[in-house]
Amino acid sequence: MIALNQTAWRRLCKVWIASLILHLGCNHQSVIAQNNSRFDIAEGMIDEDKLIAEPIAMSSLPEPSDEIAELLTAGQVQFISGGPRPSKTYGLRSVGFINREFDAETRFNLSYHFVSRCRWWWNEDGIVVRVRYPELELKVDHTIWFRRRPDDLSQFWNLKLVQHEMDHIRLSTDPRVLNRFETAVRKDESLRFSRSEMQSVLGEDAVPQRNNDANSSNRTGRNQRSRGLSPDQVRMLINQRVREHFDQTVELVEIRYRELDRQTAHGSFAVPEDGPLRGWLDRSSAEPTDTEPTNESADDSPSR
C-alpha cells in the first residue's frame, strides 16, 4: 500500500457580522500493488523505468457487464500499461512488499470539497464554531497500472488480475463507506477548539492571550467573535476537523484494500464466501459489516 497526502484549498468567503462562507478541498492518493503468477524475462533486457506508461483506451476493450460499467463510472477508472510503477513515479512510501515485483497497481484518489457557513465566539477555554455545510461531497477516481499490456484485450474483463483489481474498485467506491464521511462531518455542527489545539493548527503567536475579564463568558464572547482571529484562521480550524474525518475514511479504505490482498494473496485465490470481506464487496448489503466508531461528535444540538 502506498499513500500520499496532498492538500488543495478552494474558498469562497463572504463575511457577515455573524456568519462566514467557506470553500475547502483536499485529496489523498493511495496505491495498492498486485502480483500475478508470470514468467519473468531475463534481467537487463528492458529498463522498464525508462519506458513511458501508455493509456489503455476504453474503446479498445470489449463492452463490460452492467455491473462493471457502473463501477467504472462510479470510480472514474482509467487503465495504463508500461513504464515504472506508479509508486516509483510518485515517490510514495510503501507499507507492503518493498522489493517485490508486481504486475499491477491500483491508485485511488479521494478528494473532498465543502462550502460552510459558520459563526464563532470565545469561551473560557478557546472558541466555539457553529457550522453548517450547504455543500459537502467526497469524490474518488482510480488509475490501474499494468506492467505489460494484456496480449488479448478481447478477454480483458475475464482476466483474473483485472477481476481482482475490480474488487479493489468495489471497496473504494462503496457508498456505505463514502457516506460515513458526510454523516460524520454534518453531525459535528458545534466545533470546540481549545487554545492548545488552536496553537497547534495556527501557531502559538496567532492565538490571542486568555481574556481574564471577570465579565467574560460564553455569551459575552459572542460579541467578540472576530477578536484576534481572521476568517482564514477559522477556515483552517474547520478544515482541521473535516480533515480528521476524511483521514478516517481513507484509512478505512486502505484497511479493506490490505485485507482483500491478505485473504486472496493478491488475487491468487477467490474471496472467501463468509466473513466481513464478502460483506464489504456485496453492494446489496444495506449496512456496513464493521462498526468502526467515529471520534468526533456534536457538542450542541443542531440549530434549525
Side-chain angles (χ1 to χ4, degrees):
M1 177 73 64
I2 312 296
L4 171 65
N5 291 312
Q6 299 178 343
T7 302
W9 291 353
R10 300 175 53 194
R11 69 186 175 112
L12 174 60
C13 258
K14 183 176 181 181
V15 180
W16 295 336
I17 294 178
S19 66
L20 170 69
I21 300 179
L22 303 175
H23 245 222
L24 290 172
C26 182
N27 66 68
H28 175 96
Q29 299 181 7
S30 289
V31 176
I32 186 72
Q34 310 302 339
N35 185 39
N36 192 37
S37 299
R38 61 184 176 87
F39 295 97
D40 288 330
I41 61 174
E43 293 185 2
M45 292 182 61
I46 298 178
D47 187 351
E48 295 180 343
D49 288 346
K50 294 183 179 180
L51 299 179
I52 299 176
E54 297 182 351
I56 300 177
M58 289 291 182
S59 59
S60 68
L61 303 177
E63 183 176 355
S65 66
D66 291 342
E67 191 263 344
I68 294 296
E70 182 179 348
L71 280 177
L72 296 175
T73 300
Q76 294 296 292
V77 180
Q78 65 172 338
F79 299 98
I80 61 174
S81 66
R85 289 174 54 181
S87 54
K88 294 182 179 180
T89 301
Y90 293 98
L92 305 178
R93 177 179 58 85
S94 174
V95 297
F97 299 93
I98 297 176
N99 297 318
R100 180 174 176 180
E101 284 197 345
F102 293 93
D103 287 294
E105 284 188 346
T106 296
R107 177 169 61 93
F108 75 88
N109 176 46
L110 278 174
S111 62
Y112 68 82
H113 163 80
F114 68 83
V115 175
S116 67
R117 295 178 181 269
C118 75
R119 52 194 176 95
W120 68 94
W121 60 91
W122 292 89
N123 63 14
E124 294 181 355
D125 299 321
I127 67 167
V128 179
V129 181
R130 194 74 163 177
V131 60
R132 295 181 183 179
Y133 302 92
E135 297 180 22
L136 178 63
E137 60 180 342
L138 186 66
K139 294 183 178 180
V140 61
D141 60 76
H142 302 78
T143 299
I144 298 178
W145 169 87
F146 297 99
R147 182 177 298 278
R148 298 180 181 84
R149 185 184 180 91
D151 293 330
D152 186 2
L153 291 181
S154 66
Q155 298 298 315
F156 185 81
W157 304 114
N158 295 325
L159 296 176
K160 191 174 182 180
L161 187 60
V162 173
Q163 293 175 350
H164 178 69
E165 301 305 324
M166 296 312 299
D167 277 342
H168 279 292
I169 304 300
R170 290 182 178 90
L171 293 177
S172 46
T173 59
D174 187 347
R176 297 165 297 182
V177 172
L178 303 183
N179 287 340
R180 285 173 175 265
F181 170 76
E182 181 175 356
T183 300
V185 171
R186 291 192 183 279
K187 185 174 67 173
D188 246 354
E189 290 189 332
S190 184
L191 308 179
R192 298 178 183 271
F193 298 92
S194 66
R195 291 179 181 274
S196 60
E197 184 177 4
M198 293 165 63
Q199 289 173 344
S200 68
V201 176
L202 306 177
E204 293 185 4
D205 296 336
V207 180
Q209 297 297 316
R210 182 189 301 272
N211 184 359
N212 294 320
D213 189 336
N215 294 323
S216 172
S217 68
N218 287 1
R219 295 305 169 187
T220 59
R222 289 177 181 269
N223 297 323
Q224 305 174 24
R225 271 181 291 269
S226 61
R227 175 171 58 84
L229 287 183
S230 68
D232 284 347
Q233 289 174 316
V234 176
R235 183 181 71 251
M236 293 174 65
L237 293 174
I238 294 175
N239 186 60
Q240 175 69 18
R241 291 295 174 82
V242 176
R243 180 58 190 256
E244 290 174 1
H245 296 302
F246 175 74
D247 288 343
Q248 290 174 5
T249 303
V250 171
E251 183 180 6
L252 177 58
V253 174
E254 290 178 340
I255 289 173
R256 293 183 172 192
Y257 265 42
R258 289 194 295 267
E259 189 63 14
L260 172 62
D261 286 329
R262 186 186 70 82
Q263 293 194 31
T264 66
H266 292 270
S268 298
F269 304 103
V271 175
E273 290 300 324
D274 55 355
L277 179 58
R278 174 56 64 184
W280 298 341
L281 294 169
D282 184 4
R283 293 298 187 92
S284 66
S285 178
E287 298 292 340
T289 55
D290 53 11
T291 56
E292 296 90 349
T294 58
N295 295 326
E296 305 294 337
S297 61
D299 295 307
D300 295 334
S301 58
S303 60
R304 300 297 181 188

